[in-house]
Amino acid sequence: MPATLPFAADLDRRVPTGQPVPVHAALLGERLHLRGLYEAPLDFMPLVLPAGDAGFAMLFRYGAAVFINLTESERKLFLKELKPRIEHPLRRAETEDTRLMLAPAGTIEGISAEGIGLNDFGLPRLQVVAIVLARSVALAQYEGAIAASFDAVDPLARQLQQERSHARDLKQMLQQMGGALLAQHKMIGRVEIQDKPDILWDHPELERLFLRLEDEYELAERSGVLDEKLALISRTAETATSLIYNRRMLRVEWYIVLLIVFEVFLTLYEMGKAAWLANP
């Protein structure tokens, strides 16, 4: 896979304008190591690389890749070369497929029944599409990870109601919730779902396109739902942790009470024994 810079000059040859262009987005792993694939610092992600005979790939550090105008065999070959750079590959990659088309004159850019209509296939527009699709597949992965932890909230709440709930069961559920909180860290720190893409600072005219696509893929709504679930999971985890701690402290206090009682009986026994020896 050769090192290269974004290749806007070669774009016209690689993106046919007279027919729909297939687009495939996938979340490949937790992170992509892109150092060495470009010769100069990038102002913003994604990194654009030529791929196949007439297509290219857009890569994101948080593990997402968007392939434009690639056949399935070309995509597999590219992924084979990219594999050493994928950190913690997913067993089942989250994917999203669509098509790009030139929007008829006078129509608004955005999603239709046929796919995504654009005024032109310039690199900035394609990068905006790639950013939205990459965030969508990343959200899908986090939604699946958090759903399993969220399902554990109800059993944990029932466990908390029981006076004799086992600490081992509580710990297992807390581990699941810990995974959900880790997913939140990745979503906020790496993917930056709710942040304005850097490319829009250089191309403010594309902000309407980004907002339309963001709305169609419901990125803000999905992110908000995840935040609400994570807030509930976090509160439940704090409650369970506090309960486990309090029960342990109560157990320690009972041990102390028993030791004091034992010491009192031992003292009384010694005093009685001493009195009996003094007055047989």
Side-chain angles (χ1 to χ4, degrees), residues 48-144:
V48 184
L49 295 175
D53 294 332
F56 52 93
M58 297 192 183
L59 307 179
F60 298 80
R61 291 192 179 95
Y62 57 80
V66 179
F67 304 98
I68 298 180
N69 202 35
L70 264 69
T71 64
E72 184 176 355
S73 59
E74 289 174 336
R75 192 168 66 241
K76 289 181 178 179
L77 179 60
F78 187 92
L79 289 175
K80 183 178 179 181
E81 297 179 358
L82 187 67
K83 187 175 181 180
R85 296 179 175 272
I86 304 174
E87 181 178 328
H88 301 302
L90 298 176
R91 293 182 179 179
R92 177 182 173 276
E94 292 290 345
T95 61
E96 186 86 46
D97 291 282
T98 188
R99 298 189 304 172
L100 301 179
M101 297 162 297
L102 286 178
T107 61
I108 299 176
E109 293 181 293
I111 295 181
S112 65
E114 292 78 18
I116 300 176
L118 302 176
N119 288 343
D120 61 68
F121 286 167
L123 183 58
R125 273 184 167 76
L126 297 180
Q127 286 178 305
V128 168
V129 172
I131 289 170
V132 172
L133 293 176
R135 291 184 176 185
S136 180
V137 294
L139 270 175
Q141 172 65 23
Y142 297 141
E143 285 168 344

Side-chain angles (χ1 to χ4, degrees), residues 171-220:
K171 289 180 181 178
Q172 290 177 350
M173 293 182 183
L174 286 176
Q175 289 177 352
Q176 293 181 357
M177 294 181 180
L181 297 178
L182 179 60
Q184 180 189 35
H185 167 72
K186 294 176 182 177
M187 183 176 68
I188 296 175
R190 296 182 186 177
V191 185
E192 300 175 342
I193 294 290
Q194 298 178 349
D195 291 355
K196 179 179 179 179
D198 292 337
I199 192 174
L200 297 183
W201 297 107
D202 294 334
H203 298 276
E205 72 278 4
L206 299 179
E207 187 163 359
R208 289 186 179 180
L209 172 62
F210 171 76
L211 293 176
R212 291 192 192 103
L213 295 178
E214 182 186 45
D215 183 61
E216 289 289 345
Y217 284 94
E218 300 179 336
L219 299 187

Side-chain angles (χ1 to χ4, degrees), residues 251-279:
R251 191 179 298 116
V252 171
E253 291 174 357
W254 275 109
Y255 291 156
I256 294 173
V257 170
L258 291 175
L259 287 174
I260 292 174
V261 172
F262 177 76
E263 186 175 355
V264 169
F265 277 108
L266 184 61
T267 302
L268 292 175
Y269 171 77
E270 293 293 338
M271 291 175 60
K273 182 177 178 181
W276 182 80
L277 291 175
N279 301 294

